Amino acid sequence: FETSLDGILLAEPGGLVLAANAAACRILGRSQAELQKLDGLALMAEHDRAALYEALEERERNGSFQGQLCFTRGDGSVFDAEVASTLFTDSQQRVHSSVVFRDVTARNRDLERLRLLESSVERLNDMVIITRADELDEPGPRIVYVNPAFERMSGYTAEQVIGRSPRMLQGERTDRKTLATIRAALEQDEPVSAELVNYAADGTPYWIDIEITPVLDHRGTCTHYAAIQRDITERRRVEQELRLAANALNNTAEGVMILDHAGCVVSVNPAYTRITGYSAEEVLGNASRTQLFEENRGLLAEIIALVRQQGHWQGEFIGRRRCGESYPALVSVSNVSAEDGAPGYYVVVFNDISDYKAYEEKLEYLAHHDALTRLPNRFLFRDRLREATARARRHDSAMAVLFMDIDRFKNINDSLGHAAGDQLLRELAVRLQGCVRETDTLARLGGDEFTILLEELAAPGDAAVVARKIMSALTEPVEIGGRNLFVSASIGISCFPGDASEPDELMRNADLAMYQVKEDGRAGYRFYAGQMNASAVRELTMHSALHGALAGNEFQLHYQPIVDVATGQVTGVEALLRWNNAQLGLVSPADFIPLAEDTGLILPIGQWVLDEATRELRCLRDAGHPCVRMAINLSARQFRQADLVDSIRGALSSAGVDPLWLELEITETMVMDGAHDTLAALQALHELGVSVALDDFGMGYSSLGYLQRFDLNYLKIDKSFVAGIPRNEGAVAITRTIIAMAHGLGLRVIAEGVETQEQLDTLREWGCEEAQGYYLSVPLASDELRRLLANHDVLPVPSGSPPTGDARTLRSNS
Ligand code: C2E
Ligand code: MG
Ligand code: MG
């Protein structure tokens, strides 16, 4: 009774306390004396009366009661007690009672705490596993508790795992190293956290974030481990995805730039830097310069607006690198919306497509050019012709198509092989290119066919000029494989708008005209018959007639006397070419000399003039006129000829006359020709001993100062100035100046085209030395000249007096 740790009270039948043990006194905070004779009911808490009466009733019924009741201590405080009370009878049959009780306030509090804790853990979304710590070694700590979250996640029921090792949750992908780290920490009773793969009951792996805390008992010994696990499979997946995306972004060849809603650069990838030359540091956070499309800033704003509407845009841009270089870029811009409704981002993906562009251009070039000659091909020519026709129609201008075919090309191909044929075509392409302006289109249609498109023609006849140029470009042989090939071509010309108004028709007509040339014996050109207007016809006939003129003896020289204005003495004659053709009649040199120049025929003709004129000079000397010099006109082409001096020397020596008596007339433009070494050519003539006159002076643009460098003897004032004497002030001023300056340079002056006595007198007055013109004598045929000289070695050139009858006779004679 006295040694019991529980309080024990004995009560007599009335309920008064009979005895209390020491434990009861301690628990109730009352002394033995206080308790004895105290009504047991007074020890019970007021507020718990209902429970008390129930307990008393139960004891009355059953003889005993067990349960919890609330007691009051001596100081008035209350406590929960676990109570067992029994009724018993003594020898006098009186009913006594015993009450055994213990204070369970603390236990109740603990139980309450446990209840709260447990319900929290059970309701937790994170998984909780508690294991026993005493068996760290094989087979590992035993699981003593798992919460429902664990059961849900793993698919195991608590019964399936309790008592087993947590190893059952691990598998192939569970990282051994992480496990070792955890184990090491736990051995030191240290809390530890890690990320780990566990496996569900069905074998599915899932990632957890695990946090293990050692649980210590009151002695500080670790008895359990409490592990809280959170499923992070989704987080890991997103992270993995992000890692992959970042990796892809870093390694892609395309430049990527991410702009925020305000246009600030948020991110760029390495390809961006490689393409643009701007480092990430330079552009990040930079709103004003997106460092991509400097040139098209306005456009970028437009695109952003479009992307805002449609979510996407793709197109080509001209980008600009940091170094200033620009490049074509293929760009796509998309809108990426943010999750929480915040303003989104713009993802700009771009590619430097320079290489692609170059390739595209090359393809384009190949599609439109002939691989052999690099000239435009049939397709490009068609395009250009179509465009040109539209243009010509709009501007009311003229144009022409030349259709050219190499004569007997098949022979060359057959006999010398295709390689030689190709080489010939290439060479011809180069020559043809030299015959047209840059704005004209020269194309190879295929085979040996070429076409030329001439735009903005002043007159249809200009097409003939090009055709003649081509013919003359072909007179030079083409050297192939050490062999000189002479090539000719047949050219058909059709004009817009005269011959045709549609491109196809123009081509067809030019082709027809070309065939006509072939039928007429090749090597020539011809306008489409429908168009052949009078002047073109005449030009055309002239051209073909000129070819036969030399052989047909159709040329003749006339000689116009040149006279000393002071004495009237005939000092020389100018040989002037006359062409008398049966079909064309008398053709002016002004008309046919340019034609002869274009075709190269001027060279044989010039040679003929030279031979004929020196022969005449010989005859004049033999006839007793030793002091008359012969003036010959040289054409530009003749003057440029390398063997000019040789052929002159040859002509002089075969005629047997001294170079002293030969005078060569050249024009300003010939002297000014920068491509030719004029200085050396004139020097050579000078050394040969012939004299040189500058013809038609005043018509070109040269200054006398410039001419000072050259070896010249005479200066011929052009007849247009002489015609203005004495009334046209400008002509007067120019003529006087020319004379004065020519004298300053030591040149003798010859006035051309003197038609009146007045002009003659004025020129003499100004100091002009010599003159020629209709007033003195028209150009004369050889026999007329000889007659004139025989009778009048000296022409009357009276000063101030009316022309003499002789002079008149002379003029009417001629
Ligand atoms: P040019 O050398 O200035 O020849 C003078 C031209 O003036 C000649 O015209 C002559 O007939 C003409 N003429 C002479 N006196 C008068 C006159 O009082 N009044 C007028 N209005 N004209 C006069 P043509 O013979 O028609 O020759 C024209 C041009 O053709 C020459 O101009 C010359 O540049 C060129 N030419 C003539 N023969 C030859 C030749 O054999 N070879 C070359 N390369 N050119 C020649
Ligand atoms: Mg002349
Ligand atoms: Mg002249």
Side-chain angles (χ1 to χ4, degrees), residues 387-399 455-456 496:
E387 286 163 16
T389 313
R391 226 176 357 251
R393 199 169 287 143
R394 217 165 34 240
H395 299 152
D396 214 3
S397 60
M399 60 175 208
E455 286 192 70
E456 309 229 338
F496 175 94

Side-chain angles (χ1 to χ4, degrees), residues 360-396:
E360 205 179 55
E361 267 163 30
K362 192 165 173 214
L363 274 187
E364 161 86 10
Y365 181 88
L366 286 178
H368 289 107
H369 288 82
D370 167 39
L372 182 65
T373 60
R374 311 220 148 250
L375 293 178
N377 65 10
R378 177 185 297 274
F379 304 108
L380 185 52
F381 186 82
R382 280 249 178 82
D383 282 354
R384 297 234 179 122
L385 180 57
R386 223 182 346 258
E387 286 163 16
T389 313
R391 226 176 357 251
R393 199 169 287 143
R394 217 165 34 240
H395 299 152
D396 214 3

Side-chain angles (χ1 to χ4, degrees), residues 465 468-469 471-473 475 543 546 589 591-606 633-641 667 670:
V465 173
R468 280 203 299 276
K469 252 191 186 171
M471 314 285 290
S472 97
T475 51
H543 181 251
L546 198 56
D591 289 339
F592 74 82
I593 294 283
L595 196 68
E597 267 274 316
D598 286 348
T599 52
L601 279 170
I602 192 71
L603 294 179
I605 295 174
N633 292 285
L634 284 188
S635 84
R637 206 156 167 149
Q638 262 179 299
F639 184 58
R640 281 202 306 269
Q641 234 193 337
T667 62
M670 289 153 69

Side-chain angles (χ1 to χ4, degrees), residues 560 574 576-578 589 633 695-696 719 752-753 755 773-774:
Q560 185 174 36
E574 179 177 3
L576 293 164
L577 190 54
R578 297 288 173 262
N633 292 285
D695 204 357
D696 303 342
K719 50 184 175 288
E752 291 186 306
E755 294 183 350
Y774 295 164

Side-chain angles (χ1 to χ4, degrees), residues 710-721:
F710 303 108
D711 282 317
L712 299 169
N713 307 86
Y714 297 93
L715 194 141
K716 299 186 79 169
I717 300 177
D718 191 71
K719 50 184 175 288
S720 59
F721 296 111

